[in-house]
Structures are given as C-alpha cells and as structure tokens.
Amino acid sequence: MPHRAISADFQNLFQLKFDKEMAEVGLFQLFFYLGRNLVVLSLAYHMYVSLNYELWQIGVYFLVGQLFFVLATPFCGEMIRIIGVKHAIASRAFTLCIFWFCLPFVLSENFGQTLLYMLPLFLLRGGGGANSAMAYDVFLSHHLNKKNKGKSLALLQIAIMVGTVVAPILGGIITDQFGFVYTTYVGLAFFALAGGVLLLTPDEKFKFPYSPARFLKNIPSQTPKPLLQAEFGRVFFDGAMYVAWPLFLILVMTNMTSIGMVAGISSGVAMVMAYWIGKRMDNSDAKPEKALSHGAYRSMVLNFIRGIWWEPITIGIIDSLNKINDQTIKVPYDMQFYKWMHEENTLERAHIRLFVSQAVYLLTFLILVILLYFIAKPSVAFVLIFVLASLSLWWTRKISEVGRTVLAVEMTTEAVIKGDKK
C-alpha cells in the first residue's frame, strides 16, 4: 500500500470551494494566533512572577486595555472604508508589532507607572484590534461557501487552534530558557507574517451609509434583544477564560514550560474535533440550538471540576475535554450569527456585533477584577469565575432567535404600514 503524505490530507481540507481570499485569511489567522498565544501566557506569567503584580492588578491591566477597544469601535466603519476590508484585518497584526516591541520597555514593578505609560499603546492596539474584528466579520459574511458553511468555519477555527497548540509550548520554553523579552521578539515575527499575508493582496472597500454618531444613536433600536443575550453568553465565557485561565495555570504550575504544555496539548486534542463538528453542522438535519444547549450544560460541569481539582494531569484532561466541548458551541453559534448578518444590512450588523461584544468584554474584565480583589482565597475566586462563565453559555442559545425576531418585527411593521394605507 503506497504511503499517503500527511500534507495530502491537509491540502484536501482546503479543496472545499475555499477561494483564494479565504485561504489568505486562514493563513492570517494561523500566524496571528501563533503570535498572540505565544506572548499572552508569557505576559501574565512575567507580571506575576517577575514583577510581583497581584492577580487583581493583572486583571486591571486587561480591563484598562479593553476600554480602548470599546472607544475605538464607533470609528471602525470609516477606517475600513479608507483602507479596505482585508487591510483592516491585517491592521491588527501590524499595530501589535508596535505594541509588543514597546511593551518590555514600559513594564516595571511600579504598577501605576506601568499603567500610565501603557495608555498610548492601548490606544494603538484598540484601534487596530477593533478594525480587524469588524472587518473579519464583514469578510466572512461575504465569502463563506453556502453549502459548506460549517466546514469553512471549522477550517478557520482549526487555523486558530493550530496557533493555540504550538504557541503556548514554544512560548513557555523560550520564556524559561531566555526570558520574556525574547518571547515577544518571536511573537513579533509571527505578527509580521500575519499582516504580510493580507497586505499585498487586492482588496475591496465598502461605503458605510452612516456616521459614527448616527451609529451610536441607532444601536438601541437596531440591536435585537436575543443578540444582546447571546453575545453576553458567548463573550462573558470567552473573556473570563482569556484572563482567568492563564492566572489559574500560573498558580497551579511551577514554570512556563509546564503551563505551555498543558495549554498546547489540550488545544491539540480539541483541534481534531473542530472539522468533524463543522461537517456535522452542514447536515440539513443538524439542530444548532440543541448543540448549543448541550454544550452549555457540559461546560458547567467541566469548569466546576476544573476549579476544584488542582492537580496538573487532571487539569490537562479537563481542559482538553472543555476545549472539545467549546467546538460544539462555537461552530453552530457562528453559523447562526453569520446567517443573520448576511441577510441584510451586513455592515451595520457587523458593527453592532462588534460594539456589543467589546462592551461585554469590558464588563467581564470588571467583574473579574472585583472578584479577584475582594475574595482573598484564590481557589474560591477561580471556582466562582469558572462556574459563572459556564452558566453564561446558556444564553448562547438565543442566537437562534435573532433571525426569527427580526423577521417578526419586519412583518409586524409591514402590516401596520399597509393598514395605515387603507
């Protein structure tokens, strides 16, 4: 039997009517998340171990940084109109090159001084990050293959997860052997590669039919209540794990290499499941609502165990199971969201989703800081954080109601108009 090259299977995955531009964005995601996951875990470790920051102070760092994402959101439409969709996606990588190059020179044991000096860098990162996130949603709504939406989303998720497998392990080794500064240098290389993939390619531009002021004025009336509920569930969990999980690993593990190994291996196990789940969601008999509900219930159990069982091997197993379970939530959720977003008013709906999600991230980080500051015992704080985050996933089911709610409102409005004409 002839030997089949490993790359053959990987290449076959991308023959699912993935156009060239989708492949480019997939490469961007791969390089970007290699860079991000390389440095984020190492940053939290450096702050706690080398700079002696309290856990709540590290939370404040993320909270203040998130504020600038929220402030930048209303202006994203103008930036995307000027530089184009794919170049706006790439802007996140290039602003992070500057951010991470400067960061080691700004960090010090004086937390207040560090936070003050970080403000210009937060402003730069917030602008690039907000533009990129919105442009990514706009891009996907236009380019996802209709027959293979689940597979396409799963493949992009796999590109992200490759970064979450390799990067934490590599970052842990580099940080332990050479120090945090060298970890940021390697991260810079990945960010530059990510931005370079999209920088030199043809782009498309959209004219946004509203100003930043009009956008802010329209948010209350144009945002369906189920979208607010669903995004709260999705973002609260994601934001809590983004900050709390690295801090939890720092307390449990002895060094960055061990931390990176746990984070990387558990992500590798989850990556195997992502494509299968996406393929299953493309089945006409698939029920995204059911997948979201079951995923939320499983997450509650897994994250409760994660918070109370502080043993490295068990933590690795639980994290692997939890990340597998995450895929049963993320893929069907994104399918439902992009379906609603693509129906009409794509640009404004992408903008609304960005504003809502960034505001929820800000709220999430504020809650984490309060819990870490007022609860003296870390074990109690982390159990509470993990359980609250899992409970919030119950709201992700509301994404299935978004399209139906909007349609009902439109039909009611149309009936009223016709009635008035009579």
Side-chain angles (χ1 to χ4, degrees):
M1 182 177 178
H3 175 70
R4 181 180 176 87
I6 295 175
S7 60
D9 288 326
F10 185 79
Q11 184 179 11
N12 187 52
L13 291 178
F14 284 86
Q15 292 176 350
L16 298 168
K17 298 183 181 179
F18 239 51
D19 60 32
K20 180 184 176 183
E21 291 185 294
M22 284 289 284
E24 290 168 353
V25 171
L27 281 175
F28 169 86
Q29 293 288 72
L30 171 62
F31 290 131
F32 177 81
Y33 280 92
L34 279 169
R36 196 193 81 162
N37 290 293
L38 188 81
V39 293
V40 169
L41 267 176
S42 297
L43 173 62
Y45 181 83
H46 178 67
M47 285 180 166
Y48 186 76
V49 175
S50 301
L51 301 180
N52 298 312
Y53 288 177
E54 299 288 342
L55 294 177
W56 68 268
Q57 290 178 317
I58 300 176
V60 169
Y61 166 87
F62 286 101
L63 174 65
V64 175
Q66 181 59 31
L67 177 62
F68 287 87
F69 279 94
V70 177
L71 294 175
T73 299
F75 306 98
C76 291
E78 285 298 306
M79 290 302 300
I80 295 172
R81 179 185 65 80
I82 294 171
I83 64 178
V85 175
K86 287 196 292 181
H87 294 167
I89 297 175
S91 67
R92 186 180 192 182
F94 290 123
T95 54
L96 283 181
C97 282
I98 301 172
F99 181 89
W100 287 100
F101 176 79
C102 297
L103 185 64
F105 301 103
V106 174
L107 291 175
S108 70
E109 293 184 1
N110 187 328
F111 177 70
Q113 176 182 292
T114 295
L115 210 57
L116 180 63
Y117 290 168
M118 286 295 301
L119 295 180
L121 295 178
F122 283 146
L123 177 63
L124 178 70
R125 186 188 64 172
N131 291 332
S132 181
M134 179 176 168
Y136 180 75
D137 277 346
V138 171
F139 176 88
L140 284 189
S141 73
H142 284 275
H143 287 268
L144 277 178
N145 182 280
K146 293 182 179 179
K147 294 182 179 179
N148 297 301
K149 293 192 294 290
K151 292 180 184 178
S152 300
L153 283 168
L155 289 171
L156 288 174
Q157 194 64 31
I158 287 173
I160 292 171
M161 283 191 293
V162 168
T164 65
V165 174
V166 177
I169 298 173
L170 181 61
I173 294 172
I174 296 173
T175 300
D176 277 344
Q177 297 298 320
F178 304 102
F180 172 70
V181 174
Y182 287 92
T183 307
T184 63
Y185 292 159
V186 178
L188 284 174
F190 284 123
F191 288 136
L193 284 171
V197 168
L198 298 179
L199 184 64
L200 301 178
T201 61
D203 208 347
E204 52 186 333
K205 297 181 180 181
F206 297 96
K207 184 177 180 180
F208 284 74
Y210 54 85
S211 65
R214 185 175 179 83
F215 166 73
L216 290 173
K217 182 180 179 181
N218 288 345
I219 284 178
S221 61
Q222 297 298 321
T223 307
K225 184 179 177 181
L227 180 67
L228 285 173
Q229 295 168 321
E231 282 292 281
F232 172 80
R234 179 188 71 88
V235 174
F236 188 86
F237 178 84
D238 187 58
M241 300 309 296
Y242 179 72
V243 175
W245 182 235
L247 299 181
F248 179 75
L249 288 178
I250 290 168
L251 293 181
V252 177
M253 302 295 175
T254 56
N255 54 61
M256 260 308 297
T257 302
S258 301
I259 294 171
M261 290 292 289
V262 169
I265 292 173
S266 61
S267 297
V269 175
M271 186 176 65
V272 176
M273 294 294 295
Y275 178 71
W276 176 81
I277 293 167
K279 186 176 180 180
R280 185 179 177 186
M281 287 296 105
D282 283 328
N283 190 318
S284 58
D285 296 328
K287 296 180 179 179
E289 299 95 333
K290 189 175 181 180
L292 288 168
S293 298
H294 290 177
Y297 295 140
R298 287 191 295 266
S299 182
M300 293 176 197
V301 175
L302 289 169
N303 280 287
F304 177 76
I305 297 173
R306 182 195 334 231
I308 64 174
W309 203 327
W310 289 34
E311 194 274 319
I313 295 177
T314 305
I315 287 173
I317 294 172
I318 294 297
D319 192 46
S320 298
L321 293 173
N322 190 67
K323 286 178 178 174
I324 291 172
N325 183 60
D326 283 351
Q327 302 312 309
T328 68
I329 299 173
K330 289 178 180 178
V331 174
Y333 185 97
D334 283 348
M335 286 179 64
Q336 297 285 90
F337 169 75
Y338 287 114
K339 178 183 177 182
W340 170 75
M341 182 177 157
H342 186 69
E343 287 174 351
E344 62 177 341
N345 300 328
T346 296
L347 301 177
E348 189 169 14
R349 288 182 174 185
H351 211 162
I352 288 171
R353 195 253 189 122
L354 176 67
F355 185 85
V356 170
S357 65
Q358 296 306 316
V360 175
Y361 274 120
L362 185 67
L363 174 64
T364 303
F365 295 163
L366 176 61
I367 293 173
L368 294 184
V369 169
I370 292 172
L371 292 175
L372 291 171
Y373 183 81
F374 285 103
I375 301 177
K377 198 171 183 180
S379 58
V380 176
F382 282 113
V383 169
L384 187 57
I385 290 169
F386 292 151
V387 171
L388 285 175
S390 298
L391 287 172
S392 72
L393 285 174
W394 185 85
W395 292 100
T396 60
R397 302 182 305 167
K398 293 291 184 177
I399 195 65
S400 300
E401 299 179 16
V402 171
R404 294 197 294 268
T405 301
V406 173
L407 179 61
V409 171
E410 289 172 349
M411 291 178 66
T412 302
T413 303
E414 184 179 356
V416 171
I417 293 173
K418 288 181 178 179
D420 291 341
K421 288 181 178 179
K422 291 179 181 179

